[in-house]
Amino acid sequence: MDLFVVIALLVIVSAFFSYLNARFIKLPGTIGIVLIATIVSIAILIVDKLNPATARYLTTLAKNIDFSKVVLNIMLGFLLFSSAFNLDGKKLKKEMRPVLILSTLGVILSTAIFGFLLYYLAPFFHIHMPLIYCLLFGALVSPTDPVAVSAIVKNSKLPAHLETIISGESLFNDGVGLVLFVILLEITNVGEKNIEASKVAILILKEVFLGIMAGAAFGYLAQRLMKSVKDFQTIVLISLALVMGLSVLATIFEFSIPLAVVTAGLFAGSHSINQDNKERSHESLEKFWQLVDEMLNTILFVMIGLQLINLPFVNNYWVTGSISIVFILIARWLSIMLPLTFLRRSLKVNYSNINVMTWAGLRGGISIALALTLPNTPYRHLILSGSYFIVIFSVIVQGLTLNAMINRASKYIE
């Protein structure tokens, strides 16, 4: 299928699903779109078995989209930059300590807890997977997805400081999750005995520090360029060039796209480009990126729903998906509770907050995109299907019930 036709069909389907939700279903945008796309995908699977010609176009569309490359190499940079650019820098500075702890130690703990739970308890459900693949699965689903989180949290009743912690954590923990994923994937390829500590150290330096340095340097440069002109069209083009340039450089020099664009977005967003009281360029640029964020969000979540068509024999993996949902919720709760218990006084976060933060930790397209990059092994479909179940559950079930949980815990939330 021609690239333009794929893009056109995807935009048309996204517009149609968005209209159905806004006009008739009236759920929060992200949740409604994922729900419609999932129901349509299930219907297509049924129709495709009965009459393949009827579902031909949407089936072809879903199978012609390289979901992993589109999300990780194209959409991710724009979505993360938008979230970082529009995040309140002053609020983030106040909550930086819990944000850094949860986005680093929290992700590592969650990966380990999920991996060991799956390794030791899954055999009771006749699911057998080597420990290294269980940990690899954990690295995929432990980072909260900034796209899903921002889409749900901004419409929730979360207290401001908790919203900042959850949003900030989701921006930074993708970089940690990606590094963990790459390291564990390398171990599965070469074997635990053959992995070299020096290679791991170089990988971390390249992914993390080079990504942050590139983001800071180009973010500063772009901010200075945008501040030096009044033409809004030029300002928008500079911001687009910043995201695209960092994405290309990250691919060439193999550093972290998430960390680079988040650093650039936070830097550019926290320094106003307004030249005088009459110029409102910064506010206009924020609105532009909010619009980009909302449109790409819609397309991304339509793509997530349509990915169900590409999962072979998904009916065979519902047990894996169900226990994966339970294990990731346990891992998420413990990965928040353990570090915050030791630092409870300084962080001032109570156990009611932990419950809310656990439920607000949503997964999205990044988990599925990473799962799709896995090599063809006997465990690939188990991990991919489990990731899909976790993502759909987190967006639809957790997203729909988040406000109810906040209301129940409102007396105890600090």
Side-chain angles (χ1 to χ4, degrees):
M1 188 182 286
D2 184 78
L3 178 60
F4 178 77
V5 176
V6 172
I7 295 172
L9 282 174
L10 190 56
V11 171
I12 291 167
V13 171
S14 300
F16 179 61
F17 287 176
S18 185
Y19 175 80
L20 284 180
N21 182 58
R23 182 70 175 83
F24 301 107
I25 301 176
K26 297 181 181 179
L27 287 173
T30 300
I31 301 169
I33 288 162
V34 171
L35 181 61
I36 294 170
T38 304
I39 292 171
V40 169
S41 296
I42 294 170
I44 289 170
L45 288 173
I46 296 170
V47 172
D48 191 48
K49 289 184 178 181
L50 300 175
N51 186 359
T54 306
R56 177 163 54 99
Y57 290 106
L58 280 179
T59 303
T60 304
L61 172 63
K63 292 182 178 179
N64 272 271
I65 298 171
D66 191 334
F67 186 85
S68 182
K69 286 186 178 179
V70 169
V71 173
L72 296 177
N73 296 339
I74 300 174
M75 298 181 75
L76 185 59
F78 291 101
L79 290 165
L80 290 180
F81 180 85
S82 174
S83 298
F85 187 82
N86 288 294
L87 190 65
D88 192 320
K90 293 181 180 178
K91 290 181 180 178
L92 181 62
K93 285 181 182 178
K94 291 181 181 178
E95 309 295 346
M96 186 55 75
R97 195 176 180 192
V99 165
L100 290 179
I101 289 172
L102 293 176
S103 61
T104 52
L105 181 59
V107 173
I108 296 169
L109 280 173
S110 177
T111 299
I113 293 167
F114 178 89
F116 282 105
L117 283 173
L118 191 63
Y119 180 70
Y120 287 108
L121 298 182
F124 290 104
F125 300 91
H126 307 290
I127 299 167
H128 301 275
M129 197 184 303
L131 178 59
I132 189 64
Y133 281 96
C134 293
L135 293 171
L136 187 63
F137 190 0
L140 284 173
V141 294
S142 288
T144 54
D145 189 287
V147 181
V149 167
S150 65
I152 301 297
V153 165
K154 66 184 178 183
N155 295 316
S156 72
K157 301 176 183 177
L158 275 171
H161 73 288
L162 279 185
E163 182 178 342
T164 302
I165 291 173
I166 293 167
S167 298
E169 175 206 357
S170 68
L171 283 173
F172 288 105
N173 64 17
D174 275 324
V176 178
L178 280 170
V179 171
L180 270 178
F181 173 77
V182 172
I183 292 171
L184 291 169
L185 186 59
E186 183 67 19
I187 293 173
T188 62
N189 291 333
V190 303
E192 296 175 41
K193 295 180 180 179
N194 298 321
I195 193 74
E196 297 178 17
S198 58
K199 287 186 177 180
V200 173
I202 292 171
L203 175 65
I204 293 172
L205 285 171
K206 284 178 66 177
E207 287 277 345
V208 178
F209 294 104
L210 188 56
I212 292 173
M213 288 171 61
F218 284 98
Y220 173 79
L221 175 61
Q223 194 270 340
R224 297 296 296 176
L225 291 174
M226 290 187 289
K227 193 170 184 178
S228 66
V229 295
K230 292 185 178 181
D231 181 55
F232 185 66
Q233 177 180 320
T234 304
I235 290 171
V236 169
L237 285 173
I238 291 171
S239 68
L240 289 171
L242 171 62
V243 178
M244 292 179 177
L246 282 173
S247 298
V248 171
L249 288 174
T251 303
I252 296 171
F253 295 102
E254 297 181 343
F255 59 78
S256 171
I257 293 178
L259 288 176
V261 295
V262 165
T263 303
L266 288 173
F267 194 93
S270 60
H271 296 75
S272 177
I273 61 173
N274 295 335
Q275 293 184 342
D276 53 56
N277 292 331
K278 295 181 181 179
E279 291 290 333
R280 311 302 297 173
S281 299
H282 195 91
E283 290 73 13
S284 299
L285 190 59
E286 285 180 340
K287 291 179 180 178
F288 168 79
W289 278 104
Q290 284 173 0
L291 180 61
V292 170
D293 180 61
E294 289 171 3
M295 289 193 300
L296 289 181
N297 262 328
T298 300
I299 294 171
L300 174 60
F301 285 105
V302 168
M303 289 167 58
I304 289 174
L306 291 177
Q307 281 305 297
L308 180 60
I309 297 171
N310 292 329
L311 295 182
F313 314 114
V314 72
N315 55 304
N316 295 336
Y317 298 117
W318 67 270
V319 175
T320 306
S322 300
I323 64 172
S324 297
I325 290 168
V326 175
F327 291 165
I328 194 60
L329 288 174
I330 294 171
R332 169 73 177 167
W333 192 86
L334 289 173
S335 68
I336 298 172
M337 185 273 291
L338 291 174
L340 296 192
T341 296
F342 292 104
L343 299 166
R344 192 178 176 189
R345 284 187 180 179
S346 58
L347 296 181
K348 298 179 181 179
V349 179
N350 64 22
Y351 290 102
S352 294
N353 291 2
I354 293 173
N355 294 335
V356 172
M357 291 167 69
T358 299
W359 207 246
L362 307 180
R363 277 75 188 175
I366 297 173
S367 296
I368 297 175
L370 289 175
L372 285 166
T373 66
L374 292 172
N376 285 319
T377 68
Y379 315 106
R380 184 177 188 271
H381 290 321
L382 282 171
I383 295 174
L384 180 55
S385 300
S387 300
Y388 189 87
F389 274 86
I390 288 171
V391 168
I392 294 300
F393 177 87
S394 71
V395 173
I396 295 177
V397 179
Q398 291 175 230
L400 280 175
T401 56
L402 178 60
N403 280 331
M405 170 169 279
I406 294 170
N407 290 336
R408 284 197 300 271
S410 58
K411 294 180 181 180
Y412 309 101
I413 294 177
E414 294 179 357

